[in-house]
Amino acid sequence: MAGGETVGIVGETGCGKSTLGKAILSILPPRTRVTGHLLFRRTDLNTLDREALRRLQGEEIALIFQDPMTRLNPLMTIEQHFLETIRAHQKVSKREALERTMAALTSMRVPESRIRNYPHEFSGGMRQRIMIALALVLTPSLLVADEPTTSLDVIVEAQILEILQDLKRNYRMSLLLITHNLGIVAEVCDKVAVLYAGKVVEQGSVTDIFARPVHPYTRLLLQSIIHLDTKELRSIDGQPPDLLFPPSGCRFHPRCPYAKPVCHEKVPPLEQFRSGQSAACLFGKDFV
Amino acid sequence: MPRRGSLVAYGVTRLVMAFPMLLILLTVVFVVLRIIPGDPIYALYGGRAKPSVVMAQRHKLGLDQPLYLQFANYIAQVFTGNFGTSLGPIFGGQNVMDVIMQRLPATVELAVGSMLVATIIGISVGILSGINRDRIVDVVGRLYGTIIFVIPIFWLGLMLQFVFAVDLKWFPVNSRFDVSIPPPATITGLYTIDSLLKGRLDAFAVAVRHLFLPCLTLGLVLSGFFTKTVRANLLRTAGADYVEAARARGIRRRAIVMRYAFKNALIPVITVLGLEFAILFAGAVLTETTFNWNGMGLLLVNSIEVQDYPLIQGTIIVYSFIIVIISLMVDFLNGLIDPRVRY
């Protein structure tokens, strides 16, 4: 990801989108085995010690969760959440921390007067705006937003997306948007990666992928979008596989209408098919 | 008028709501004492008194009046603090309230001491267990919680007396104070507090030495349930969404454990603590009997044995008041920690 860029991560429920988000923040449950590399500014996050990681969390990389209702400590006021977060990273006076809190909340249109309220005194939309303000108060360079609007109604959703767009422009912040809503991706993102059963099956620019998808899964996913003139709902047959026992070869082969015997055995590598667009399909060139 | 959801408004509401609760409790005590078999006058004279004497005694105690008048008298007695005079052979003729007030400090000292032991051991073992889930520390902690919970109080008391008092002679076997030195002058009746108020450290040490074994017995038995409650709740809150969110914001681990996991885990623990405190007063009856501790528990047992009705009634009423006060304190503490219950 480049600075100021927005990348979308899409996929069905249970394909590992949220896990990816938590992995980037290094907040997977304790004793989780992590393989591979997670590079942030050329440093592998997996090699950092706990304190170095803690300094990055929240200040450089921030995360917005999908369920704002349960993400705030019910025993702390909004003010306490902000002061604690700011002071966990920077040595600033209480006064300055408060000023920043006010600024962050105002930008999210949360009234300053409610700073001493507790989480249970806010609505869902309000809490999500507080969560976003909390994630942005230290102006991180990378924001991971894990389905930030899923639990909200469409009006609040539109407001929040607009706010995220503004922030990107104002702070040159990179945004990793995790969603299953392809409409949002088309509207907000520069690039997109399609996830299936824990693996990236296709990635590229939004225009390329929406106009000329290569991987059969991406094609089927795009076909299942509902338009105004949709007469019949189209879905992808079958269920996403159990990730504890993933299928052999290409993980999509049991549901793929084009699957051939070789797909059962050979794991397809992520190959580039056009400039900036790659897919993991053995027969990708047939679909180009 | 204090703001809705403020601590003061919440406290006042709880206080007002304690009155109906107290009234119900007092009614239950009244009814139960009158439906259980036995007759105080019969018990007093062993059935050998002349009918005229029995009648006179009944009249004196108001037992010949209709029940509703007896109840009105009883409520009046409770709120004026005058529970009548004892009928029993030990305290016969003495004011019931005076007798109880002499014994109450001993029980309060025992209860508070035991609660201290139970909370310190219970909460620390619970936290150690919780943060070392499924490691050896946790296995030992869980085993401790189960075993200690099922041990009978009197058996543990006798064993501790046997080892630490009879064998090792580290602590006295029973009683509240040494006979060889004078106890501190009575201010509150609590030997520990009185000796500190008078600046007598020697007397304080003696009082604590006497308190140690009974408090350890009762405290250990109660700590088992605590350990389990703290552990279970800590595991629940440590996996909570807000803890994960706090980690993502780079909050220090120590702060997360204390401000997020532990503080949230404390809410149900405080409720359990209140219930345990009530159980503790019941447990004190056994502990006081085992250690010959001259408190309310022993007083109640003795007055039941001789069917000293005014004294039984008075003791139970004082117990009821204590329970109401404890539950008020629990409500207040919960309100202090958790803003959501203040409404």
Side-chain angles (χ1 to χ4, degrees), chain B residues 318-336:
Chain B
V318 172
Y319 267 129
S320 312
F321 266 95
I322 292 171
I323 304 294
V324 171
I325 291 167
I326 291 169
S327 80
L328 261 177
M329 272 160 45
V330 167
D331 282 349
F332 194 74
L333 269 181
N334 265 337
L336 196 68

Side-chain angles (χ1 to χ4, degrees), chain A residues 60 85 108 113 149 151 240 248:
Chain A
E60 288 294 326
T85 306
M108 286 296 131
S113 58
T149 56
S151 56
S248 60

